[in-house]
Amino acid sequence: MAIDDAMKDMQAKITAACAAAEVKAVKISDEEARLTVLAPAGDIQKIKDATFQPAMDFLNKDGFDIQVFVYDKDAPPLKG
């Protein structure tokens, strides 16, 4: 499996947990990726729950560090 496949798999888990989620995926290297998720406040924990164990499995089994950061879409992080 390549990091691109792992990123797609994680994005599918996010949208399964919350269809309204907006995902921005950035491949940092062949082993690392960051997914920034904007979702309704009520779905944030659901997304975190859906992605925590898969992220750990990717790290431990495949050596992929896929970081998932979930933010309230109505209060996104400040750009600086």
Side-chain angles (χ1 to χ4, degrees):
M1 173 180 285
I3 189 76
D4 295 318
D5 298 323
M7 290 168 61
K8 288 177 188 172
D9 184 60
M10 192 65 82
Q11 288 180 40
K13 290 180 186 336
I14 292 166
T15 54
C18 174
E22 300 173 31
V23 182
K24 178 183 176 188
V26 177
K27 180 178 171 182
I28 298 169
S29 71
D30 288 341
E31 296 87 24
E32 187 177 359
R34 176 187 171 121
L35 282 77
T36 302
V37 183
L38 297 178
D43 291 329
I44 290 175
Q45 191 59 50
K46 201 180 338 179
I47 294 168
K48 288 180 178 182
D49 292 343
T51 58
F52 177 77
Q53 192 57 52
M56 297 307 297
D57 291 343
F58 280 129
L59 183 61
N60 293 322
K61 295 177 183 174
D62 300 300
F64 297 144
D65 182 8
I66 300 181
Q67 304 160 23
V68 179
F69 296 91
V70 188
Y71 301 99
D72 181 349
K73 72 177 183 93
D74 296 319
L78 297 176
K79 295 180 181 178

